[in-house]
Amino acid sequence: MIRLASKDIKEAIEKDLTQEVASLKASGVEVCLAVILVGEDPASQIYVGSKEKACERLGIGSLVTRLPKETSQKELLALVKRYNEDPKVNGILCQVPLPKGLNEQEVIEAIDPDKDVDCFHPFNLGLLAAGAPRFMPCTPFGVLQILKRSNIPTQGKKVVVVGRSNIVGRPLSILLSLKGWDATVTLCHSGTQNLAAECAQADILVAAIGKPEFIKSEFVKPGAVVIDVGVNRVEDPSHPKGSKVVGDVDYDAVSTKAQAVTPVPGGVGPMTISMLMYNVINAARFQKGMPPFQL
Ligand code: GUN
């Protein structure tokens, strides 16, 4: 069984991205990301800190605005408008989930689609569904980079995606069905009948349901490739912190049957931020009328 850790892939991509940022800078183009974080969700604080560090590593400028959880919808929309109109800001990202009482969808739709580096705006999701994406949804594109750079072909393969979220499952199922990736995609969800049997058809099984260690060995066809997108914090008294992070896949059980499995942590998770950096670079290129940088 192959453990599909992403460290080397991430490093190779970030090396190319760092060079691209430097070459843009040499031609007078500075790249800058604006991040909005509302409230004190601990996981969101960690993610936003990692995004700031990634910008620093790659030479991308970052503006991070941390707002209290009492922030009103009106104040939040005013900040988005300010970043929309700021020519120095190439990409805008509002960390989700937002605190209760704020309207996430309205904020997403207020972001200028040309600066929507999360690829959450309906305009960008529409371009993706039309087969002409401007931005790549970050976690789904991270999954595709792991497959491509591990020499796991998707062409003609049966891929089963479990989970239909707007951030991962649905955009990933669309991407995999596009020309070039050419997979035969089944999108499963909480209403799917005989889920284990559906999953056991897959050459490539993607778990993105947010349930700790839900995918057991009977969900997996012998020799399948299993991609675990889950990040679940569970209690573990044997750990110094009293908890640990596990994926949506029962890694030990599935390892005995699969050809390859992505670990958690160290698999899909770290790729998301590198793909965000890729989108920020391409936002800057798009705004200057340049063709996209290809990975
Ligand atoms: N929350 C969890 N993942 C993401 C992401 O990729 N982007 C944003 N904006 N919020 C998130």
Side-chain angles (χ1 to χ4, degrees), residues 2-279:
I2 300 162
R3 186 175 178 274
L4 289 173
S6 61
K7 186 170 174 284
D8 294 350
I9 295 171
K10 183 182 166 75
E11 279 175 11
I13 289 173
E14 289 202 356
K15 188 162 165 265
D16 290 349
L17 296 181
T18 304
Q19 264 178 20
E20 173 58 17
V21 173
S23 113
L24 284 170
K25 203 167 279 182
S27 61
V29 179
E30 298 274 345
V31 184
C32 176
L33 170 68
V35 179
I36 303 169
L37 171 61
V38 189
E40 281 123 44
D41 179 69
S44 292
Q45 286 176 329
I46 292 170
Y47 288 138
V48 166
S50 304
K51 288 169 189 182
E52 247 179 319
K53 281 194 205 113
C55 284
E56 207 169 306
R57 252 191 337 267
L58 272 65
I60 293 175
S62 68
L63 300 167
V64 180
T65 307
R66 291 179 169 83
L67 297 170
K69 65 177 187 306
E70 296 78 17
T71 301
S72 70
Q73 183 76 7
K74 205 172 147 201
E75 288 168 307
L76 188 50
L77 291 172
L79 179 61
V80 169
K81 184 163 183 283
R82 192 139 55 77
Y83 284 146
N84 280 343
E85 289 167 358
D86 185 342
K88 289 193 292 296
V89 169
N90 305 110
I92 304 169
L93 170 162
C94 179
Q95 190 68 24
V96 296
L98 286 172
K100 265 225 295 279
L102 291 170
N103 182 339
E104 213 161 274
Q105 193 58 27
E106 192 184 28
V107 174
I108 288 169
E109 291 182 23
I111 293 173
D112 180 345
D114 291 354
K115 298 188 176 186
D116 168 40
V117 287
D118 267 325
C119 195
F120 287 176
H121 194 289
F123 179 83
N124 287 318
L125 292 174
L127 285 180
L128 176 69
R134 173 165 313 154
F135 295 116
M136 300 304 253
C138 299
T139 302
F141 195 43
V143 169
L144 295 188
Q145 289 297 319
I146 290 176
L147 292 172
K148 180 178 157 188
R149 291 166 186 255
S150 308
N151 299 312
I152 297 163
T154 54
Q155 286 76 14
K157 300 294 179 192
K158 279 181 91 64
V159 180
V160 174
V161 177
V162 191
R164 58 179 155 183
S165 71
N166 288 339
I167 299 188
V168 183
R170 192 170 304 105
L172 178 58
S173 69
I174 296 169
L175 266 179
L176 280 160
S177 74
L178 295 182
K179 269 206 189 319
W181 299 100
D182 299 317
T184 303
V185 185
T186 303
L187 181 56
C188 296
H189 47 77
S190 50
T192 298
Q193 292 188 357
N194 303 321
L195 181 62
E198 287 291 343
C199 292
Q201 300 283 316
D203 301 310
I204 301 171
L205 177 62
V206 181
I209 33 174
K211 291 186 183 162
E213 300 180 324
F214 180 82
I215 300 291
K216 308 287 182 194
S217 72
E218 63 269 25
F219 288 60
V220 177
K221 181 168 86 170
V225 172
V226 180
I227 305 290
D228 190 351
V229 185
V231 181
N232 309 290
R233 187 159 282 284
V234 295
E235 281 183 30
D236 181 3
S238 73
H239 248 251
K241 274 191 192 163
S243 69
K244 64 174 177 179
V245 169
V246 299
D248 289 351
V249 173
D250 184 344
Y251 186 90
D252 291 340
V254 165
S255 297
T256 62
K257 230 168 160 187
Q259 175 204 323
V261 187
T262 63
V264 176
V268 174
M271 294 296 293
T272 299
I273 291 175
S274 303
M275 299 301 103
L276 173 69
M277 299 298 114
Y278 169 74
N279 280 341

